[in-house]
């Protein structure tokens, strides 16, 4: 009888000690794990679950400007991260694109030269009736470094391209080609013989290919370091919070649609005398629709 009482006491004592240790561990977790880490992990678990659906709150319009090699045109591109639609449209705008309101029109290039990337963003908002949420400005060499960091990009060359750089001639024949960072930079700086619409389509496809080729990076542990490298390269107002808030949606898209990025085909009229480009009314409406949120469900 005495042994049974001892056994019960030891059991109760062991249970109490175990419960105490678990309670202390739980308190330490609450005290020392940052709240934002817990929230991010919860979002991640939700995004990985079946019940997760992206919303308009996670969309983001980005203006990308790439400074070219000497003698080449700047790249101006609008990109929209749109998990609600499951797509990433890319619209490369000719530098001569007229923006702003009637009566004070300016080209994208002149707005940039006069007051920088923020001015271009404001003019595009006014011209298209959209929000340009963030901007990113890179030097072409930064783009070269980024592409090499990612391991290159698969790109379908439509027409024969010849590059002459540092006394060396490089030829890209039509067909699928694996581009190094340097060749990526050559295509960005290339003078397309058929004008601005050809350049817009080709460079839009190039950027879309880069995004699609490496969408699976979002499913790996290296995604955070690549993002950090990108924002440290150039001038941007994209924050770590922007990235963390949209990471679950980006991972969702990478699983659901690895080829979400596509080039938006522009239409309009080039003015040879002044080097300006007038978007057609249909194109303006199309861009406004693509770069605006989905209508809210009622």
């Amino acid at each position: 009888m005495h042994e049974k009482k001892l056994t019960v006491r030891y059991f109760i004592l062991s249970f109490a000690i175990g419960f105490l240790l678990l309670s202390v561990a739980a308190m330490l977790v609450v005290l020392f794990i940052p709240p934002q880490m817990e929230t991010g992990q919860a979002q991640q678990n939700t995004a990985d679950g079946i019940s997760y659906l992206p919303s308009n709150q996670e969309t983001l319009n980005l203006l990308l400007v790439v400074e070219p090699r000497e003698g080449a045109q700047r790249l101006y591109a609008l990109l929209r991260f749109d998990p609600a639609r499951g797509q990433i449209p890319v619209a490369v705008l000719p530098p001569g694109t007229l923006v702003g309101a009637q009566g004070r029109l300016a080209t994208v290039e002149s707005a940039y030269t006069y007051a920088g990337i923020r001015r271009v963003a404001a003019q595009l908002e006014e011209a298209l009736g959209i929000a340009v949420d963030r901007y990113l400005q890179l030097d072409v060499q930064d783009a070269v470094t980024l592409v090499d960091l990612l391991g290159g990009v698969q790109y379908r060359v439509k027409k024969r391209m010849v590059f002459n750089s540092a006394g060396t001639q490089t030829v890209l024949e039509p067909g699928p080609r694996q581009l190094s960072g340097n060749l990526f930079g050559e295509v960005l700086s290339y003078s397309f013989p058929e004008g601005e619409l050809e350049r817009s389509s080709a460079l839009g496809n190039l950027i879309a290919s880069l995004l699609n080729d490496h969408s699976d990076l979002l499913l790996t542990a290296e995604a955070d370091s690549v993002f950090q490298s990108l924002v440290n390269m150039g001038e941007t107002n994209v924050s770590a919070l922007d990235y963390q808030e949209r990471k679950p949606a980006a991972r969702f898209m990478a699983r659901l649609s690895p080829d979400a990025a596509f080039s938006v085909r522009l239409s309009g009229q080039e003015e040879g005398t002044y080097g300006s480009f007038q978007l057609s009314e249909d194109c303006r409406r199309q861009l406004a629709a693509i770069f605006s949120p989905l209508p809210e469900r009622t």
Side-chain angles (χ1 to χ4, degrees):
M1 189 69 178
H2 180 67
E3 290 179 358
K4 287 184 178 180
K5 288 183 179 181
L6 286 176
T7 302
V8 171
R9 287 177 182 176
Y10 289 145
F11 173 80
I12 294 173
L13 182 60
S14 300
F15 180 84
I17 292 172
F19 182 81
L20 179 62
L21 290 174
L22 287 173
S23 301
V24 171
M27 291 175 63
L28 290 173
V29 168
V30 171
L31 288 172
F32 294 107
I33 293 182
Q36 60 266 32
M37 186 180 296
E38 294 176 9
T39 303
Q41 188 63 47
Q43 290 175 342
Q44 185 63 55
N45 291 338
T46 305
D48 290 342
I50 297 172
S51 62
Y52 175 79
L53 283 176
S55 67
N56 280 334
Q57 283 66 45
E58 293 163 298
T59 59
L60 184 143
N61 288 338
L62 173 76
L63 172 62
L64 171 67
V65 176
V66 179
E67 292 287 343
R69 288 172 176 160
E70 188 175 353
Q73 292 181 314
R74 285 188 183 91
L75 172 83
Y76 298 95
L78 273 175
L79 295 87
R80 179 174 179 80
F81 175 70
D82 196 342
R85 290 186 175 98
Q87 62 187 29
I88 306 174
V90 181
V92 173
L93 301 170
T97 302
L98 292 169
V99 291
Q102 292 293 337
R104 51 195 183 97
L105 288 175
T107 66
V108 169
E109 181 71 13
S110 63
Y112 180 86
T113 303
Y114 176 70
I117 195 168
R118 292 182 182 86
R119 179 64 174 173
V120 176
Q123 293 281 65
L124 286 171
E125 288 184 331
E126 193 172 18
L128 300 176
I130 64 172
V132 179
D133 305 297
R134 299 290 185 270
Y135 61 81
L136 171 63
Q137 181 178 330
L138 296 173
D139 186 86
V140 68
Q141 189 55 47
D142 297 328
V144 167
T145 301
L146 175 64
V147 172
D148 281 334
L149 179 67
L150 294 172
V153 57
Q154 182 80 11
Y155 178 61
R156 180 170 290 278
V157 178
K158 292 188 175 180
K159 296 180 181 178
R160 191 173 192 260
M161 306 174 77
V162 180
F163 311 110
N164 293 293
S165 179
T168 303
Q169 186 177 86
T170 304
V171 178
L172 285 180
E173 298 291 351
R177 298 284 178 262
Q178 181 70 20
L179 304 186
S180 64
N182 190 58
L183 280 175
F184 183 89
E186 292 283 9
V187 176
L188 282 184
S189 304
Y190 188 66
S191 179
F192 290 86
E194 293 187 17
E196 293 298 342
L197 289 178
E198 183 190 22
R199 177 177 182 266
S200 170
S201 177
L203 297 188
N205 285 327
L206 179 65
I207 295 171
S209 294
L210 180 67
L211 295 173
N212 290 333
D213 275 8
H214 300 288
S215 62
D216 58 350
L217 176 69
L218 291 161
L219 306 176
T220 70
E222 286 74 33
D224 294 355
S225 61
V226 171
F227 168 78
Q228 191 67 39
S229 297
L230 177 61
V231 297
N232 287 340
M233 284 178 179
E235 178 186 345
T236 185
N237 61 351
V238 178
S239 69
L241 182 61
D242 293 327
Y243 170 72
Q244 291 296 339
E245 287 180 342
R246 289 163 179 83
K247 190 168 149 183
R251 289 170 62 88
F252 178 85
M253 284 179 63
R255 288 192 180 95
L256 187 68
S257 178
D259 295 325
F262 66 94
S263 176
V264 178
R265 196 171 190 83
L266 302 185
S267 63
Q269 186 66 42
E270 290 185 58
E271 173 53 64
T273 305
Y274 300 103
S276 62
F277 181 83
Q278 180 73 57
L279 294 168
S280 69
E281 285 305 313
D282 284 345
C283 186
R284 285 177 182 272
R285 285 193 290 270
Q286 180 193 28
L287 289 173
I290 290 173
F291 288 88
S292 295
L294 277 171
E296 295 289 348
R297 295 177 182 176
T298 57

